[in-house]
Amino acid sequence: MAIPMPPAAALRVLLIDDGAHRVRLVAEALILQGHQVVGVLDEATRIQAAVEELRPDVVIVDAESPSRDTLEHLALMHERAPRPVVMLADDAASQTIRAALRAGVSAYGVPELQPERLAAVLAVAQERFAQDRSLREELNAAQLELATRKQIERAKGLLMQEQGLSEDAAYKRLRKLAMDRGETLASVAQRVIAAAELLRG
């Protein structure tokens, strides 16, 4: 008899029992779908270490109502080693859901262990996590670009002040230095600023 192969989208899942004590049922539902349960925790304090050690694709928290400790440790994990997080909880209060989402939870729902429902929740969590990460990367890129522009403007200002150059001439000087040294404009601007600060210091 042939052994059924796991689906292409098989996931490594870390389960957290936050007091609801249904993780065995959740684990069975996951395994039936071809996923691998890489660990089961019964205390929130070990979430960060477990994620770093086991490297799950998804974290599922099963709770009656997510505890403050659990949300704090999820928020810490979200900062240091972000993963899609599914919260299965009996507490459907809007403030609880908001607190969970602020802690980095990607999908929040009342426990529903039918395979097709669990699969849909996992898919939502992964998609929302991917969208959030993409938005964070775009924001970081925009902030970096803004910081770079400010540095270039500051370096231009220093050249204009110290060498009596026009704005256009100062920019051309920076660009020529960058080309001559094979460096980026931002890197040369940083050098100009550092040199001016050193002289002033």
Side-chain angles (χ1 to χ4, degrees):
M1 181 178 172
I3 298 173
M5 294 296 290
L11 300 169
R12 292 168 53 80
V13 182
L14 174 65
L15 292 176
I16 315 292
D17 185 351
D18 192 27
H21 309 302
R22 291 175 298 233
V23 288
R24 184 179 60 81
L25 297 174
V26 178
E28 287 172 1
L30 289 165
I31 291 166
L32 281 173
Q33 292 179 44
H35 302 302
Q36 180 186 1
V37 176
V38 295
V40 179
L41 300 182
D42 58 5
E43 56 177 304
T45 55
R46 296 184 54 237
I47 293 175
Q48 175 70 27
V51 166
E52 290 175 355
E53 179 187 346
L54 302 171
R55 302 192 176 280
D57 299 310
V58 178
V59 175
I60 297 180
V61 181
D62 186 35
E64 289 183 355
S65 180
S67 69
R68 185 173 175 178
D69 271 357
T70 297
L71 293 179
E72 285 176 359
H73 285 284
L74 283 175
L76 189 62
M77 181 203 80
H78 189 62
E79 286 178 14
R80 298 182 180 176
R83 295 289 191 283
V85 177
V86 172
M87 177 78 70
L88 301 175
D90 297 308
D91 187 349
S94 58
Q95 65 268 25
T96 306
I97 295 171
R98 281 197 299 271
L101 294 176
R102 281 197 301 269
V105 170
S106 307
Y108 187 106
V110 292
E112 185 63 75
L113 298 178
Q114 281 83 355
E116 64 277 7
R117 176 64 182 153
L118 188 56
V121 171
L122 284 170
V124 167
Q126 288 180 287
E127 182 61 29
R128 180 160 186 252
F129 177 79
Q131 288 177 353
D132 286 350
R133 183 167 58 184
S134 178
L135 285 172
R136 282 196 305 273
E137 287 171 354
E138 286 177 19
L139 178 60
N140 289 340
Q143 288 173 336
L144 180 62
E145 185 180 352
L146 181 61
T148 299
R149 282 183 187 173
K150 284 182 177 177
Q151 274 193 326
I152 292 168
E153 288 300 314
R154 187 176 170 203
K156 275 195 325 188
L158 287 168
L159 289 177
M160 289 164 66
Q161 181 183 344
E162 293 172 6
Q163 298 184 18
L165 300 175
S166 67
E167 185 176 356
D168 186 53
Y171 181 75
K172 285 178 179 174
R173 176 71 59 85
L174 286 173
R175 194 171 58 184
K176 185 175 187 309
L177 284 169
M179 290 175 67
D180 290 347
R181 297 182 180 188
E183 296 181 9
T184 64
L185 203 56
S187 178
V188 168
Q190 218 168 12
R191 285 177 184 274
V192 169
I193 293 166
E197 287 175 350
L198 188 63
L199 288 171
R200 287 175 181 174

